C-alpha cells in the first residue's frame, strides 16, 4: 500500500491541505552530484570503538582557572573528572552508576556542584564534591522534585536554579544556599511555562531570567529581585520569541535573541533603560546571542547556517563580526560559564562527521584553538571515518528540505547499494553535520545514510517549525520518504534495500513509515518511539504532556487529530522486520509504548524483536547498553538489507 492510499486508513480525519513552506533560499542538490570516494585503505570502523566513544556531558572551570572539571563516561558511566588547563592525565573525582552532569564550581574554589538522577528517570538532585576529591553529598534529596540549571552568584555562595515537581508541568526559579536549603523566587501556574536563570546582575541582587513555553515558540525576558522575588518583564510579545543569554556587568545591556518581525531567530543588544535595540548584520539563518567577554568589549554569537554552526566575536562599539576560525561542523559553547575566570580562554565543543565531539579551548587573545580532551578511540580518526555532505531536495509540495548524507567509500553507482533514512527526535529538533555514531557505524559498513530536516524541525524559521502542527506523521513523513527518493535518484541505491531508524520522535516517524507507507522500507529499527498518543498523554511526565498539547492538542478536544497522528492507526499494515529498544525508566516515552508495538505485531505474525534495558531512561547512558543497542541495530540491518550478514 503506497503512502497516498494509506491515508484512507485514517478515515475519521480530514486530509490536510499542503502548500510550499517558505525557508531560507538555497540551491537544490542534484542527486547525481553525490559521489563515493575511492579508497584502498577504507575499512569498517569497529562497532565496539564507535560505541566506546566517550560523551562530553558538561564542563566547568575551577575558580582559579588552572583546572577544568569534565563530566564524561571514561569508565562507561558519566562521572566527574579533573584535568589541568595546560594538559594532564585526568583524575576521577566521583564514581556512580547514575549519570552526573550540569557542573558548576563555587567561587571560593572548594566545591564542584552537579546534577544526578536515578536510573535515567530525569529527576535530578543537586550534589557536591570537594574540588580536590572526597565524599559526595546529596544536598537536596527530593525524589519528587527535579533540580538543575545551576548558576553561581558572583559572591556569597548562593546558587540560582530551576525546580520542577513531578506532579506539575511548570518549572520555577529558586535560590540555594551552600548547604542545599532552597527558597522559591517564582510561582508559575501555567503548566506549559518554565523559568530559567540567565545571569546575575546588580552585584548579585537580581537575576535576568527567561520565561519560556515548553515548545519554544514563546518566550520572554524578565528581571527578578532576589530578596523579594519581585519580577519585571523586560521583553515579551504574544507568539514571539525573546530570550536572553547574558547581561553586561553594569546591567545596562542584555545579549538577546528574538524572531520578532523576521520569523527567524536573530541576535542583538537590548538597552534596558532606552528600551532600544542594536542588531547584528542580517542573516537568513538561525543566529543566537551568546556571552559578553570579561572586558565587556565584545559578545560571542553562534550562527547555525543550515546544518553547520560557527562562532563569531562581535565588537560592541562597531558591531563588526569576526569569525573565530573553528573547524567546519558543529561548534558551540559548553558549561554554564564557558569563559575562564581571567577571560583569556573559552571552552567550546566541536564535532564533525569525521571527528567525534571534544572539548576545545579557544584563546581569546591569540585567536587559536587547542584540544582540552581526547574522547574518541584512536580508530575514529578523520582518515578512517566516512565523509558527510549537506544536501537540499524538494519535497512533495515543493518545500525545500535540508539533510546530511554520509557516503561510504568505494561504492559503485549501480543502483544496488543499501541505505538508511535517519529521522531525528523532537519534532522540534534538527539534524546537524556533526558526529553521529549511528551514521558512522552504518556508513563504514556500506550503507548510505541520510538525516533529513523534515517540516517541524528547528533552524529554518517559525513557519517551517509550525508546519506539522496537528499533522504529526503527515507532511513530515512525506518529507522523510522524499529523502529516500533523493537517494534512489542518485543512482547508488536499491529502492528495495532501504531501511529506516530513529529514536524518540524519530522512532515515532519509523513506526509511522512502516505502517502508513508499508512498501517504502525493507527493515526498521526504532528506539523509544511513540505508537499511541492517547496512552502517551495518559502515562508521560507532566511537562511532556504540556509539550504534547502544543503539538496536537488533547485527546478529548482533538480525537481525530490523535487518530491520524498515532502509528497505532496504521501499524497493522506494517511488513518490515522491526527491532524496538526501550529504557525501563523512560519518563518521556514510557515503557508501555514499546510494549504496545511488540504485542500488536507479534499477534499479527510479523518479524519483531523488543529489548528493554533496566535502569535506563530516554536514551541509554550505560556503556554496555550504548554498545549493545548499536550492535543490535547494525546486525538487524545487516540481516534484512544485505544478502548475507556483514562481518563486524
Amino acid at each position: 500500500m503506497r503512502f497516498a492510499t494509506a491515508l484512507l486508513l485514517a478515515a475519521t480525519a480530514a486530509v490536510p491541505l499542503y502548500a510550499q513552506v517558505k525557508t531560507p533560499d538555497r540551491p537544490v542538490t542534484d542527486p547525481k552530484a553525490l559521489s563515493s570516494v575511492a579508497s584502498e585503505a577504507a575499512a569498517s570502523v569497529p562497532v565496539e570503538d564507535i560505541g566506546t566513544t566517550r560523551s562530553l556531558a558538561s564542563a566547568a572551570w575551577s575558580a582559579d582557572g588552572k583546572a577544568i572539571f569534565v563530566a564524561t563516561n571514561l569508565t562507561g558511566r558519566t562521572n566527574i573528572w579533573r584535568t589541568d588547563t595546560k594538559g594532564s592525565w585526568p583524575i576521577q573525582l566521583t564514581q556512580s552508576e547514575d549519570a552526573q552532569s550540569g557542573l558548576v564550581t563555587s567561587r571560593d574554589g572548594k566545591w564542584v556542584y552537579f546534577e544526578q538522577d536515578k536510573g535515567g528517570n530525569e529527576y535530578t538532585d543537586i550534589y557536591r564534591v570537594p574540588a580536590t576529591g572526597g565524599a559526595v553529598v546529596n544536598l537536596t534529596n527530593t525524589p519528587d522534585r527535579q533540580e538543575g540549571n545551576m548558576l553561581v552568584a558572583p559572591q556569597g555562595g548562593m546558587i540560582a536554579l530551576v525546580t520542577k515537581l513531578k506532579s506539575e508541568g511548570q518549572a520555577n526559579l529558586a535560590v540555594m544556599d551552600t548547604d542545599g536549603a532552597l527558597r522559591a523566587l517564582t510561582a508559575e501556574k501555567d503548566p506549559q511555562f518554565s523559568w530559567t536563570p540567565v545571569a546575575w546582575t546588580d552585584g548579585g541582587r537580581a537575576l535576568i531570567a527567561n520565561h519560556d513555553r515548553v515548545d519554544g515558540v514563546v518566550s520572554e525576558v524578565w528581571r527578578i529581585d532576589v530578596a523579594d522575588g519581585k519580577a519585571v518583564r523586560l521583553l515579551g510579545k504574544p507568539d514571539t520569541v525573546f530570550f536572553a543569554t547574558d547581561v553586561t556587568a553594569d546591567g545596562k545591556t542584555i545579549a538577546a535573541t528574538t524572531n520578532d518581525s523576521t520569523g527567524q531567530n536573530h541576535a542583538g543588544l537590548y538597552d534596558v533603560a532606552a528600551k532600544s535595540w542594536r542588531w547584528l548584520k542580517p542573516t537568513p539563518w538561525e543566529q543566537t546571542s551568546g556571552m559578553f567577554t570579561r572586558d565587556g568589549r565584545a559578545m560571542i554569537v553562534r550562527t547555525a547556517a543550515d546544518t553547520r554552526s560557527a562562532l563569531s566575536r562581535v565588537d560592541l562599539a562597531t558591531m563588526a563580526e569576526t569569525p573565530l576560525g573553528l573547524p567546519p561542523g558543529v561548534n558551540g559553547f559548553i558549561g554554564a560559564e564557558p569563559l575562564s575566570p581571567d577571560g583569556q580562554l573559552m571552552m567550546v565543543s566541536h564535532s564533525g562527521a569525521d571527528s567525534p565531539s571534544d572539548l576545545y579551548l579557544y584563546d581569546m587573545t591569540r585567536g587559536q584553538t587547542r584540544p582540552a580532551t581526547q574522547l574518541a578511540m584512536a580508530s575514529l580518526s578523520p582518515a578512517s571515518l566516512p565523509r558527510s555532505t549537506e544536501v537540499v531536495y524538494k519535497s512533495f509540495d515543493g518545500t525545500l528540505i535540508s539533510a546530511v548524507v554520509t557516503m561510504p567509500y568505494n561504492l559503485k553507482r549501480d543502483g544496488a547499494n543499501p541505505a538508511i533514512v535517519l529521522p531525528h527526535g523532537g519534532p522540534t529538533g534538527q539534524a546537524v553535520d556533526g558526529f553521529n555514531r549511528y551514521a558512522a557505524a552504518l556508513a563504514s559498513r556500506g550503507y548510505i545514510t541520510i538525516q533529513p530536516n523534515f517540516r517541524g524541525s528547528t533552524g529554518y524559521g517559525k513557519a517551517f517549525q509550525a508546519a506539522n502542527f496537528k499533522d504529526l506523521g503527515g507532511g513530515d513523513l512525506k518529507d522523510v520518504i522524499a529523502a529516500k527518493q533523493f537517494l534512489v535518484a542518485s543512482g547508488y541505491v536499491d529502492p528495495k534495500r532501504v531501511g529506516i531508524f530513529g529514536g524518540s520522535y524519530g522512532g515515532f516517524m519509523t513506526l509511522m513509515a512502516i505502517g502508513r507507507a508499508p512498501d517504502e522500507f525493507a527493515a526498521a529499527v526504532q528506539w523509544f518511539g511513540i505508537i499511541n498518543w492517547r496512552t502517551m498523554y495518559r502515562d508521560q511526565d507532566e511537562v511532556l504532556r504540556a509539550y504534547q498539547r502544543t503539538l496536537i492538542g488533547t485527546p478529548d478536544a482533538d480525537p481525530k487529530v490523535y487518530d491520524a497522528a498515532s502509528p497505532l492507526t496504521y501499524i497493522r499494515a506494517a511488513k518490515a522486520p522491526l527491532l524496538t529498544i526501550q529504557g525501563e525508566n523512560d519518563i518521556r516515552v514510557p515503557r508501555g509504548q514499546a510494549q504496545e508495538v511488540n504485542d500488536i505485531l507479534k499477534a499479527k505474525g510479523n518479524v519483531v524483536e523488543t529489548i528493554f534495558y533496566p535502569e535506563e531512561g530516554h536514551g541509554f547512558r550505560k556503556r554496555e547498553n550504548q554498545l549493545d543497542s548499536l550492535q543490535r541495530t547494525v546486525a538487524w540491518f545487516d540481516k534484512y538489507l544485505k544478502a548475507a550478514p556483514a562481518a563486524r
Side-chain angles (χ1 to χ4, degrees):
M1 185 183 300
R2 305 299 292 179
F3 186 90
T5 57
L7 284 171
L8 297 175
L9 290 172
T12 59
V15 177
L17 299 175
Y18 296 105
Q20 182 176 348
V21 184
K22 178 65 176 174
T23 61
D25 290 333
R26 53 218 193 268
V28 174
T29 306
D30 181 354
K32 298 292 186 182
L34 292 181
S35 63
S36 175
V37 176
S39 173
E40 294 182 0
S44 297
V45 179
V47 171
E48 292 79 6
D49 288 7
I50 295 175
T52 305
T53 297
R54 288 87 174 188
S55 63
L56 180 58
S58 181
W61 290 99
S62 64
D64 60 9
K66 294 181 179 180
I68 300 171
F69 301 97
V70 179
T72 183
N73 59 340
L74 289 179
T75 63
R77 299 294 183 270
T78 303
N79 295 155
I80 303 171
W81 299 71
R82 186 183 71 234
T83 183
D84 290 345
T85 302
K86 293 181 179 180
S88 68
W89 185 264
I91 300 172
Q92 188 169 3
L93 290 188
T94 63
Q95 181 173 293
S96 173
E97 287 293 299
D98 293 313
Q100 300 165 330
S101 62
L103 310 184
V104 297
T105 54
S106 61
R107 298 297 178 193
D108 61 11
K110 293 181 179 179
W111 305 104
V112 179
Y113 294 87
F114 61 94
E115 307 166 15
Q116 179 179 316
D117 71 358
K118 182 65 175 175
N121 69 358
E122 300 189 39
Y123 274 82
T124 50
D125 286 326
I126 301 301
Y127 292 71
R128 76 179 183 190
V129 63
T132 55
V136 172
V137 177
N138 185 340
L139 293 175
T140 53
N141 198 19
T142 51
D144 293 325
R145 188 180 69 199
Q146 178 189 75
E147 297 101 9
N149 294 94
M150 291 180 284
L151 192 66
V152 180
Q155 63 270 326
M158 189 177 293
I159 297 176
L161 50 85
V162 177
T163 69
K164 192 195 88 67
L165 292 172
K166 189 175 288 187
S167 59
E168 297 179 345
Q170 63 268 36
N172 280 286
L173 280 179
V175 288
M176 183 180 74
D177 66 21
T178 54
D179 295 322
L182 266 65
R183 174 169 60 86
L185 289 181
T186 61
E188 181 61 51
K189 301 300 182 184
D190 190 333
Q192 294 190 137
F193 277 85
S194 296
W195 293 86
T196 307
V198 172
W200 292 87
T201 188
D202 196 16
R205 290 185 288 272
L207 281 165
I208 300 298
N210 292 327
H211 185 229
D212 307 310
R213 203 169 80 179
V214 66
D215 58 354
V217 300
V218 178
S219 60
E220 305 166 332
V221 180
W222 291 67
R223 183 187 185 278
I224 300 176
D225 189 277
V226 173
D228 58 13
K230 181 181 178 181
V232 176
R233 193 175 79 166
L234 303 178
L235 290 167
K237 184 185 289 189
D239 300 318
T240 306
V241 168
F242 290 96
F243 65 87
T245 54
D246 203 359
V247 63
T248 52
D250 59 13
K252 294 180 179 180
T253 305
I254 294 175
T257 302
T258 180
N259 64 359
D260 191 27
S261 76
T262 65
Q264 175 66 288
N265 285 351
H266 55 284
L269 301 171
Y270 181 72
D271 186 309
V272 176
K275 297 182 180 181
S276 62
W277 286 91
R278 295 170 64 205
W279 299 108
L280 278 69
K281 63 183 180 182
T283 172
W285 295 109
E286 186 174 79
Q287 183 187 66
T288 307
S289 58
M291 75 209 78
F292 292 113
T293 55
R294 298 284 189 203
D295 60 12
R297 296 177 180 176
M299 175 177 67
I300 309 300
V301 299
R302 182 175 186 265
T303 301
D306 211 344
T307 64
R308 297 176 181 172
S309 52
L311 301 179
S312 299
R313 179 188 180 107
V314 179
D315 185 282
L316 299 192
T318 65
M319 298 300 283
E321 297 178 43
T322 304
L324 296 192
L326 298 169
V330 178
N331 296 290
F333 313 113
I334 186 166
E337 292 190 63
L339 287 170
S340 60
D342 64 5
Q344 295 302 302
L345 297 173
M346 179 173 64
M347 295 189 296
V348 298
S349 62
H350 166 76
S351 81
D354 59 358
S355 51
S357 294
D358 251 316
L359 175 65
Y360 291 79
L361 297 180
Y362 180 81
D363 190 310
M364 302 292 286
T365 301
R366 298 179 180 177
Q368 299 174 345
T369 305
R370 61 179 173 86
T373 58
Q374 179 62 51
L375 299 176
M377 295 286 288
S379 61
L380 273 67
S381 66
S384 63
L385 289 169
R387 304 292 192 269
S388 67
T389 185
E390 293 179 320
V391 302
V392 178
Y393 60 88
K394 285 188 177 181
S395 193
F396 67 100
D397 59 357
T399 298
L400 295 181
I401 304 295
S402 290
V404 178
V405 172
T406 306
M407 289 292 293
Y409 293 109
N410 301 322
L411 296 185
K412 294 180 180 179
R413 200 186 296 266
D414 58 3
N417 298 287
I420 312 287
V421 181
L422 303 173
H424 64 70
T428 46
Q430 185 182 16
V432 294
D433 193 17
F435 183 71
N436 182 307
R437 63 175 60 196
Y438 316 115
L442 292 164
S444 78
R445 283 158 179 76
Y447 297 95
I448 301 173
T449 69
I450 185 167
Q451 304 170 61
N453 282 315
F454 46 83
R455 65 196 65 204
S457 301
T458 57
Y460 300 93
K462 184 175 181 179
F464 190 78
Q465 184 176 330
N468 65 348
F469 175 66
K470 292 191 176 181
D471 184 42
L472 306 184
D476 52 5
L477 177 56
K478 291 186 176 186
D479 297 338
V480 169
I481 291 174
K484 173 198 168 179
Q485 294 165 347
F486 175 85
L487 292 186
V488 172
S490 73
Y492 279 104
V493 174
D494 181 347
K496 297 189 179 300
R497 300 177 68 198
V498 180
I500 185 168
F501 161 44
S504 193
Y505 195 80
F508 159 82
M509 196 69 78
T510 298
L511 293 172
M512 268 296 207
I514 64 172
R516 204 167 188 183
D519 295 318
E520 291 287 355
F521 298 99
V525 177
Q526 72 96 8
W527 295 2
F528 37 86
I530 302 102
I531 187 172
N532 184 342
W533 286 107
R534 283 189 171 84
T535 53
M536 274 282 289
Y537 194 78
R538 182 192 68 197
D539 299 337
Q540 68 187 328
D541 184 78
E542 287 296 330
V543 69
L544 278 306
R545 187 178 296 179
Y547 177 57
Q548 186 170 318
R549 288 196 293 272
T550 70
L551 297 173
I552 54 174
T554 67
D556 291 338
D558 303 281
K560 292 183 179 181
V561 172
Y562 270 67
D563 287 340
S566 288
L568 181 66
T569 303
Y570 319 97
I571 198 65
R572 288 173 178 81
K575 302 174 184 177
L578 175 68
L579 171 65
T580 292
I581 307 181
Q582 173 81 37
E584 294 273 9
N585 288 346
D586 195 333
I587 67 168
R588 295 175 180 263
V589 180
R591 182 193 192 282
Q593 295 291 307
Q595 195 65 55
E596 278 192 81
V597 176
N598 180 81
D599 294 348
I600 291 169
L601 293 182
K602 275 254 172 124
K604 181 174 172 284
N606 282 37
V607 176
V608 59
E609 183 176 346
T610 304
I611 306 297
F612 293 100
Y613 294 140
E615 297 298 307
E616 290 281 21
H618 197 68
F620 313 131
R621 299 182 181 183
K622 295 178 172 63
R623 178 168 296 152
E624 62 269 26
N625 296 331
Q626 292 175 342
L627 182 55
D628 183 71
S629 58
L630 182 59
Q631 289 172 326
R632 288 179 183 274
T633 297
V634 171
W636 192 263
F637 287 126
D638 282 352
K639 182 175 182 179
Y640 293 107
L641 294 184
K642 290 184 175 179
R648 288 188 290 139

